[in-house]
Amino acid sequence: RKAFIGTIQYNVLMATNALVLAMAKLSIKCQNPHNTETWRHLANRNSNMSEFSHSDYTLILRMWHDDAVHRRRRELQLPNSAKYFLNSLDRIRNHDYIPTTEDVLKAYKPTVGVEEHSLVIGSIAYKMVDVGRNSLHMQQKWMHLFEECAVSAVLFMVDICEYDQVTFAPENERMVNCLENAKLLFQRLSHYQYENFKNSVFMLLFNKEDTFDEKILYSNLSDHFPAYTGPKQNPEMAKNFICDMFIDAIPDKCNHITIHFISATHSNSAREVCKAVKHEVSQMYQFNSLEID
């Protein structure tokens, strides 16, 4: 697990950068004057950080636990794993630190390009192709990879916590809601007409359900999706609305689709996803006699 230390340091760096930028955007001033100097120091050098010293961790901790920052943490809109790593800094900064299983699962490592992973489960050989977190304008750069092979299953993962966040869409040069952007890409995939997708199982995975259940209590879904008329602070009703929104986007003749709400950063949830994938693909392999590369 020592190999993940660099990835976790990268996540701490991203969390610190997000914290510094959010404080500037919201005009949050540290209550402790010494922490204000800490904020200026981190703001000036944060983009140039490549590795952390013990003193860096101390500065980040001091700012993270400042009373003014603590009172307004909900407004900061930090990445979902940021709070976890910022709250774990006392442990991470130890010289003999070894990442835990939870640390590894929480850590985000961006996919660069397209990655392929091969594995064998039972008597079935799987080849998994990870196209990463791509926006609509990148679709043409990786969709052709699936034109000459039988695709048994398409796993489409949605960060359900991004319902109140926006991203820049180069294809129309404007900011769009992240969840709406994900829905449009899912819609395109489900309408995909190539022969190799005809027998594919689509698995729609709504990720970070646990974080969503907490976030919906203070960030109303209707503020970002006016079509939602259900009660506020009701996670189940909000999830049902989002699920229906994606289902309504697919064609009636689309192949079998299964839906799962998961927390992939929890080991038990990750195991459940693997079991579900194995079951769906095995069923199709058995009944349709498809060759799985």
Side-chain angles (χ1 to χ4, degrees):
R1 291 196 293 242
K2 287 184 177 180
F4 287 93
I5 291 178
T7 298
I8 289 166
Q9 286 184 332
Y10 168 82
N11 278 255
V12 174
L13 172 60
M14 292 299 100
T16 305
N17 188 44
L19 175 60
V20 168
L21 292 176
M23 289 176 63
K25 181 180 179 180
L26 298 172
S27 299
I28 297 177
K29 297 182 179 180
C30 294
Q31 185 166 316
N32 187 324
H34 294 294
N35 294 342
T36 299
E37 291 303 315
T38 295
W39 180 88
R40 291 191 183 123
H41 172 76
L42 292 173
N44 288 333
R45 67 160 293 195
N46 201 47
S47 60
N48 297 319
M49 280 186 183
S50 57
E51 53 185 53
F52 290 96
S53 66
H54 194 273
S55 60
D56 289 326
Y57 284 122
T58 301
L59 292 175
I60 297 168
L61 268 172
R62 186 185 301 163
M63 186 173 66
W64 177 240
H65 290 293
D66 185 90
D67 289 340
V69 176
H70 189 272
R71 285 194 300 269
R72 300 183 64 181
R73 280 186 185 177
R74 284 185 173 180
E75 302 174 49
L76 294 173
Q77 295 292 315
L78 298 179
N80 294 306
S81 62
K83 292 181 181 179
Y84 173 83
F85 287 111
L86 290 172
N87 285 328
S88 303
L89 282 180
D90 270 328
R91 179 170 52 84
I92 293 173
R93 66 176 177 169
N94 288 336
H95 295 297
D96 57 352
Y97 165 69
I98 297 178
T100 65
T101 300
E102 195 74 7
D103 292 344
V104 174
L105 287 172
K106 291 282 189 183
Y108 168 69
K109 183 180 180 181
T111 301
V112 179
V114 176
E115 296 183 358
E116 292 189 10
H117 308 275
S118 298
L119 65 155
V120 178
I121 302 178
S123 60
I124 303 177
Y126 297 82
K127 181 166 73 174
M128 302 181 66
V129 181
D130 181 5
V131 298
R133 187 186 179 94
N134 290 286
S135 59
L136 293 173
H137 79 290
M138 296 292 290
Q139 181 182 346
Q140 68 273 18
K141 294 188 177 182
W142 50 261
M143 189 63 83
H144 70 278
L145 297 173
F146 306 108
E147 293 178 8
E148 298 180 358
C149 63
V151 178
S152 302
V154 177
L155 278 65
F156 191 90
M157 186 169 289
V158 179
D159 185 344
I160 195 173
C161 287
E162 291 186 337
Y163 68 91
D164 61 352
Q165 298 176 34
V166 295
T167 185
F168 180 72
E171 57 273 9
N172 49 23
E173 296 185 344
R174 66 184 180 90
M175 302 299 290
V176 297
N177 181 277
C178 291
L179 203 60
E180 185 68 30
N181 195 56
K183 186 196 74 173
L184 289 175
L185 180 54
F186 179 69
Q187 186 177 41
R188 288 191 182 182
L189 284 173
S190 61
H191 281 77
Y192 201 50
Q193 298 300 314
Y194 284 122
E195 188 73 20
N196 60 317
F197 270 71
K198 278 191 174 180
N199 296 307
S200 301
V201 171
F202 278 78
M203 299 186 69
L204 183 56
L205 309 176
F206 289 108
N207 193 22
K208 302 176 183 175
E209 179 186 22
D210 52 338
T211 306
F212 175 86
D213 289 348
E214 297 176 1
K215 190 176 187 179
I216 202 69
L217 299 179
Y218 59 86
S219 179
N220 295 322
L221 182 62
S222 58
D223 292 342
H224 310 278
F225 290 88
Y228 175 71
T229 57
K232 296 180 179 180
Q233 301 182 333
N234 190 311
E236 294 306 315
M237 291 291 288
K239 284 183 285 190
N240 287 339
F241 172 83
I242 293 172
C243 181
D244 289 342
M245 184 174 71
F246 275 77
I247 294 300
D248 290 343
I250 62 178
D252 293 335
K253 61 181 180 181
C254 189
N255 291 321
H256 181 54
I257 292 181
T258 62
I259 299 170
H260 303 269
F261 285 89
I262 62 172
S263 175
T265 56
H266 290 174
S267 55
N268 289 337
S269 186
R271 291 190 188 98
E272 290 302 314
V273 172
C274 291
K275 287 171 61 178
V277 172
K278 178 183 176 183
H279 172 76
E280 294 292 340
V281 176
S282 296
Q283 288 291 100
M284 191 176 68
Y285 180 79
Q286 179 180 354
F287 293 113
N288 295 338
S289 300
L290 291 178
E291 178 183 353
I292 302 178
D293 294 331

